[in-house]
């Protein structure tokens, strides 16, 4: 699990005490100070569950702030990234065997030390989240929160019509049953097919083992979404920062 590393960026504001709420909101990218004051005046901001008032001061490293009901991370030292992991890259920040790892694609572009949320095996590709927010990372990975993940897989075909129902009913693996939340055939070309499936757990190699068990071994696997975050057109090996709205959606996905 990622540690909660909170080393500040040299460019991030340094908070030594509680700051005016509108200043904290503005620093987090909500808008100008005047616009943030208007949000507070219109009772659209809460701090630690209480409706905020003009003149309130907060510690952005500990305050739980919501704007229009959506969580706002005001601690500018926290980093949230999406990455398109290429095939052949191991899901570690650094590899003792010298294999290509995640840090090789980040370089010096991120001052803070970030960690991957969950894993993709070396032969798989697609969406990974990177962050130094250990609390959120733990919730995203913990099975009790049931955050769904969607995968696009190339498998051996043809696909029988009842496969979706079989996966939804549950398939018994050596370490317990697994059920699929959603399944569809994207394309079918005789002996190969593309299928998309969504499930809410992250046991090791779960998608590959599941599809092999039902007779359709995977030749290519791409993770296309984690909860509300989508891979989209992010190129292989690239990273991007999540927007405030995407971070808020992640918190909502884990019940915040």
């Amino acid at each position: 699990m990622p540690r909660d590393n909170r080393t500040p960026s040299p460019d991030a504001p340094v908070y030594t005490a509680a700051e005016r709420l509108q200043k904290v909101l503005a620093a987090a990218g909500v808008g100008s100070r005047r616009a943030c004051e208007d949000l507070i005046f219109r009772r659209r901001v809460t701090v630690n569950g209480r409706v905020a008032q003009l003149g309130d001061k907060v510690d952005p490293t500990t305050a739980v702030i919501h704007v229009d009901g959506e969580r706002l991370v005001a601690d500018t030292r926290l980093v949230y990234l999406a990455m398109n992991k290429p095939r052949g890259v191991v899901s570690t920040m650094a590899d003792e065997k010298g294999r290509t790892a995640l840090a090789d694609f980040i370089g010096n572009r991120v001052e803070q030390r970030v960690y991957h949320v969950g894993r993709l095996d070396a032969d798989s590709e697609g969406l990974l989240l990177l962050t130094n927010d250990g609390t959120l990372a733990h919730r995203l990975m913990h099975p009790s929160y049931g955050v769904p993940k969607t995968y696009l897989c190339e498998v051996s075909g043809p696909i029988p019509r009842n496969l979706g129902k079989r996966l939804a009913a549950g398939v018994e693996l050596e370490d317990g049953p697994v059920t699929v939340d959603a399944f569809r055939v994207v394309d079918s070309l005789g002996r190969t097919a593309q299928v998309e499936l969504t499930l809410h757990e992250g046991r090791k190699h779960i998608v590959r083992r599941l599809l092999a068990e039902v007779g359709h071994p995977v030749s290519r696997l791409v993770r296309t979404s984690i909860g509300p975050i989508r891979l989209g057109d992010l190129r292989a090996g690239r990273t991007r920062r999540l927007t405030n709205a995407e971070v808020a959606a992640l918190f909502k996905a884990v019940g915040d």
Side-chain angles (χ1 to χ4, degrees):
M1 182 188 76
R3 291 173 289 175
D4 191 359
N5 186 299
R6 296 173 181 259
T7 302
S9 163
D11 297 325
V14 177
Y15 299 104
T16 57
E19 297 276 1
R20 292 271 185 181
L21 178 57
Q22 60 266 35
K23 179 180 178 181
V24 172
L25 294 177
V30 175
S32 67
R33 289 197 192 183
R34 179 163 294 185
C36 293
E37 288 174 354
D38 186 62
L39 289 172
I40 298 168
F41 176 77
R42 294 177 182 275
R43 301 172 62 85
R44 293 167 60 184
V45 182
T46 63
V47 179
N48 299 332
R50 180 184 64 83
V51 176
Q53 298 179 348
L54 286 172
D56 282 354
K57 291 186 176 182
V58 299
D59 180 348
T61 64
T62 59
V64 177
I65 301 173
H66 289 79
V67 179
D68 291 335
E70 293 192 346
R71 176 71 178 269
L72 175 73
V73 177
D75 188 347
T76 54
R77 301 174 299 179
L78 294 178
V79 176
Y80 305 88
L81 302 173
M83 177 182 182
N84 186 348
K85 185 191 87 68
R87 191 171 188 171
V89 175
V90 293
S91 290
T92 58
M93 297 311 297
D95 183 65
E96 60 184 14
K97 297 181 180 178
R99 295 173 295 182
T100 304
L102 302 179
D104 296 323
F105 296 89
I106 298 175
N108 297 322
R109 286 173 290 172
V110 179
E111 295 290 340
Q112 297 90 330
R113 189 176 183 185
V114 295
Y115 299 88
H116 51 92
V117 180
R119 293 177 178 271
L120 282 171
D121 63 70
D123 289 332
S124 299
E125 54 197 288
L127 182 63
L128 271 177
L129 299 181
L130 306 171
T131 185
N132 56 354
D133 187 335
T135 300
L136 178 61
H138 172 74
R139 292 181 180 182
L140 289 171
M141 289 187 291
H142 200 284
S144 66
Y145 290 95
V147 177
K149 303 174 184 67
T150 300
Y151 301 85
L152 182 65
C153 304
E154 186 174 286
V155 300
S156 61
I159 304 298
R161 290 186 177 182
N162 68 342
L163 181 57
K165 290 183 178 180
R166 182 180 177 187
L167 295 174
V171 176
E172 189 71 34
L173 300 180
E174 67 272 13
D175 54 352
V178 58
T179 58
V180 169
D181 301 327
F183 174 84
R184 70 185 181 100
V185 178
V186 177
D187 196 9
S188 183
L189 299 171
R191 294 186 178 181
T192 62
Q194 283 190 343
V195 299
E196 181 184 79
L197 67 160
T198 301
L199 64 166
H200 58 270
E201 61 170 288
R203 278 181 277 168
K204 189 173 182 180
H205 304 311
I206 187 68
V207 175
R208 292 181 182 276
R209 292 192 291 126
L210 170 64
L211 290 173
E213 180 67 24
V214 296
H216 300 279
V218 174
S219 57
R220 185 184 181 192
L221 183 151
V222 181
R223 183 157 63 195
T224 57
S225 71
I226 299 174
I229 310 303
R230 297 185 178 278
L231 180 63
D233 58 1
L234 187 63
R235 293 171 59 186
R238 297 293 183 90
T239 61
R240 67 171 180 85
R241 289 182 181 266
L242 300 186
T243 65
N244 284 342
E246 287 177 317
V247 175
L250 281 176
F251 275 98
K252 186 174 291 186
V254 296
D256 182 84

